[in-house]
Amino acid sequence: MSVVVVGASAAGFATAEGLRRNGYDGALTLVGAEPELPYDRPPLSKQVLTGAWEADRIRLCRPDKAIELGLDLRLGTPAAGLDPATRHLALTDGSVLPYEQLVLATGVVPRPFPGTDGLRGLRMLRTLEDSLALRADLAPGARLVVIGAGFLGTEIAAAARTLGAEVWLVEPEPVPLGIAVGTAVGEFVAGLHREQGVHLHTGPAAAVRDFKVNAGTVEAVVLADGTELRCDLAVVAIGSVPATGWLAGSGLTLGDGIECDAHCSAAPGVYAAGDVASWFHERAGIRVRLEHRTNATEQGLYVAKALLGQTGEPFTPVPYFWSDQYDTKIVAFGLLRGADEVRVVEGAIADGEFVALYRKGNRLTGVLGVRRAKSVRQWRALLAAGSGWDEALAISPK
Amino acid sequence: MKITIDRDRCCGAGQCVLAAPDVFDQDDEEGLVIVLQESPAPEQHQAVREAASVCPTATIEVTE
Ligand SMILES: Cc1cc2nc3c(=O)[nH]c(=O)nc-3n(C[C@H](O)[C@H](O)[C@H](O)COP(=O)(O)OP(=O)(O)OC[C@H]3O[C@@H](n4cnc5c(N)ncnc54)[C@H](O)[C@@H]3O)c2cc1C
Ligand code: SF4
């Protein structure tokens, strides 16, 4: 057999490692757009951005490990096209790789702000290079506008404050992280940022209208209500899009990501894993695509087993994510988006120490907590069992 | 077998505890990993190797 993995990051590397650990000893090629060996992205908006960690600390794979795994590395050479019928993958350097099994793990790319191509002073954050460049410009007193208060935007704001920058965080929704975790928890996060002196602008009036530009460099971000925020630097953190452009014309179904079945397969001999993969989650009964670090590893390991024929089970993980905001760690299990109700069952949000349950219809769909990681964990089994809401509340302490 | 951890890297996912509950635990507040047995007994070795590889942040290092 021969396996080619496209995307040399968390999910792609987990797949490669999983294949070897489960006994695969055939040809294994890892194709990556970046010139780097796989590294970990979450620290890019945390320890690497604040300078607490040197870049070397986030390596997921050292050169000796790549040799030990017998990887045929094709780094710095993005895949350019795919023909699943004849099982050939084309790279941008002109080479064509035949494969028997293919794993697509190309992740996502930041969504650009429309019409800002080529403007200086406007940044995005996805790669190690992006993080180091941003950190170099975040001197104490630097004026930074962060556009978008999702996980990425809020973490960048926190890191920048830690470095002593003056920070404006702007978001058209009423609260930060509102779509991801609900209004009440979003307000809690807003409070953390206000306490640290971040200038937070939220709601429709805070939608970015345009930019004031001088000689090709952004000088100010202009909000819908006309407010001008002068800045040295602005970061766009308004979400991301699956890196599937190169698959146009391949015949694969591309919706919000590469559409796979319940076993993470997109076509005969083609699997997908990580941020780019959209798959049918059988227990949840919906199509899911996650941008969570833990899922990249879990799904990569699952795909490794699936293509070795070592699992017939569908992929039905209990998703997990965390986010660091200053010294507050938020942890959560499940699918929290679009919940009908969020109920605090332990502690109080106002005290900064709580556990909240998420309900959709009559199901328990998620749990989130701050400074109560152990309690949060105790709900994982119920989520894995697909528990009903009443059943969950019956055993909760409140 | 010897287990070393770089606790700062841990993200609290708890995959290690699911894989090897007798060897790993997590703290109550932030959920960061705690090693219960630094030199686990041979019958634990397979589970510990599994834990190290499912850990998403490469926090756990195993030397044999
Ligand atoms: C700054 C930042 C902070 C984060 N913080 C958290 C957090 O706190 N908690 C959490 O749960 N998650 C977090 N995440 C998300 C987490 O990092 C991702 O879920 C994870 O990296 C996904 O791994 P992946 O391998 O699927 O995709 P990626 O890590 O995006 O890797 C995809 C790789 O494929 C390459 N590629 C793309 N196109 C091609 C092509 N055509 N050919 C070859 N290679 C290609 C890319 O260059 C990239 O190296 C964060 C992400 C970022 C960027
Ligand atoms: S699996 Fe890794 S990241 Fe998760 S709790 Fe264990 S050591 Fe920490």
Side-chain angles (χ1 to χ4, degrees):
Chain A
M1 187 155 83
S2 70
V3 180
V4 174
V5 178
V6 188
S9 184
F13 181 63
T15 308
E17 219 183 4
L19 281 167
R20 290 300 190 220
R21 194 157 38 85
N22 291 297
Y24 173 67
D25 60 4
L28 183 50
T29 307
L30 187 58
V31 179
E34 293 177 77
E36 309 273 344
L37 278 169
Y39 60 85
D40 200 22
R41 267 171 237 282
L44 299 181
S45 55
K46 308 176 182 73
Q47 299 92 334
V48 172
L49 191 55
T50 60
W53 288 9
E54 288 306 319
D56 199 45
R57 186 118 180 233
I58 65 170
R59 302 286 162 208
L60 292 173
C61 173
R62 294 179 187 284
D64 54 338
K65 178 79 180 177
I67 293 167
E68 184 191 316
L69 290 173
L71 299 180
D72 175 4
L73 291 171
R74 307 292 177 97
L75 300 179
T77 52
L82 172 67
D83 182 359
T86 63
R87 303 201 180 194
H88 281 85
L89 178 79
L91 306 188
T92 43
D93 66 1
S95 51
V96 175
L97 304 177
Y99 65 84
E100 281 165 64
Q101 304 277 358
L102 181 72
V103 180
L104 302 171
T106 49
V108 295
V109 288
R111 184 190 301 280
F113 197 96
T116 58
D117 222 20
L119 280 188
R120 279 194 303 273
L122 204 58
R123 303 292 180 77
M124 298 203 279
L125 175 56
R126 185 75 194 171
T127 65
L128 175 58
E129 197 186 342
D130 296 338
S131 179
L132 295 176
L134 190 56
R135 163 170 134 199
D137 287 336
L138 284 177
R143 296 167 63 97
L144 172 73
V145 176
V146 180
I147 301 169
F151 285 110
L152 189 58
T154 51
E155 289 194 358
I156 293 170
R161 276 307 289 155
T162 307
L163 287 169
E166 188 82 354
V167 180
W168 286 260
L169 179 58
V170 304
E171 164 62 53
E173 293 291 324
V175 293
L177 298 180
I179 295 173
V181 301
T183 307
V185 178
E187 264 160 16
F188 165 71
V189 174
L192 295 178
H193 285 272
R194 289 208 179 91
E195 264 169 40
Q196 298 290 333
V198 169
H199 310 285
L200 185 62
H201 294 253
T202 56
V208 171
R209 192 173 73 196
D210 54 25
F211 298 89
K212 273 199 126 172
V213 177
N214 183 10
T217 302
V218 171
E219 278 190 337
V221 176
V222 186
L223 305 184
D225 65 0
T227 306
E228 270 186 40
L229 305 173
R230 300 192 64 77
C231 60
D232 301 310
L233 208 62
V235 181
V236 176
I238 57 172
S240 30
V241 283
T244 54
W246 67 281
L247 289 167
S250 66
L252 297 184
T253 308
L254 306 174
D256 174 34
I258 299 165
E259 292 197 359
C260 301
D261 62 15
H263 298 82
C264 305
S265 172
V270 182
Y271 290 83
D275 287 12
V276 79
S278 149
W279 85 101
F280 186 74
H281 191 303
E282 273 195 2
R283 182 168 17 83
I286 50 171
R287 186 161 275 292
V288 172
R289 186 176 69 79
L290 299 174
E291 295 183 12
H292 296 347
R293 179 62 184 81
T294 304
N295 185 64
T297 301
E298 233 180 312
Q299 199 165 18
L301 293 173
Y302 171 88
V303 163
K305 284 195 172 156
L307 61 75
L308 294 175
Q310 292 175 357
T311 175
E313 299 293 312
F315 182 58
T316 56
V318 177
Y320 170 82
F321 72 80
W322 83 102
S323 175
D324 293 328
Q325 314 266 339
Y326 309 98
D327 58 357
T328 297
K329 186 184 280 294
I330 298 169
V331 299
F333 287 103
L335 295 166
L336 280 57
R337 257 164 216 262
D340 296 321
E341 182 185 351
V342 180
R343 193 181 299 189
V344 174
V345 293
E346 232 187 279
I349 294 183
D351 299 339
E353 225 186 289
F354 63 93
V355 177
L357 300 185
Y358 289 67
R359 170 179 74 80
K360 188 151 189 167
N362 57 9
R363 301 250 122 217
L364 172 72
T365 53
V367 55
L368 175 148
V370 171
R371 291 190 186 87
R372 295 281 177 105
K374 184 173 185 185
S375 305
V376 170
R377 233 156 43 228
Q378 285 164 353
W379 296 96
R380 191 187 179 282
L382 274 193
L383 287 164
S387 163
W389 179 250
D390 294 334
E391 188 190 332
L393 287 185
I395 63 158
S396 87
K398 223 185 214 177
Chain B
M1 171 183 276
K2 178 129 178 52
I3 300 171
T4 39
I5 54 162
D6 182 355
R7 199 155 188 263
D8 290 351
R9 300 174 70 121
C10 175
C11 72
Q15 305 292 52
C16 54
V17 182
L18 293 174
D22 296 331
V23 181
F24 299 101
D25 197 359
Q26 290 168 274
D27 73 45
D28 294 354
E29 262 210 356
E30 296 208 290
L32 303 187
V33 65
I34 297 167
V35 180
L36 302 174
Q37 310 176 34
E38 279 182 12
S39 306
E43 63 270 22
Q44 295 290 342
H45 289 187
Q46 196 45 39
V48 170
R49 282 183 214 112
E50 176 79 16
S53 68
V54 294
C55 171
T57 54
T59 297
I60 303 167
E61 201 178 318
V62 177
T63 37
E64 313 213 16

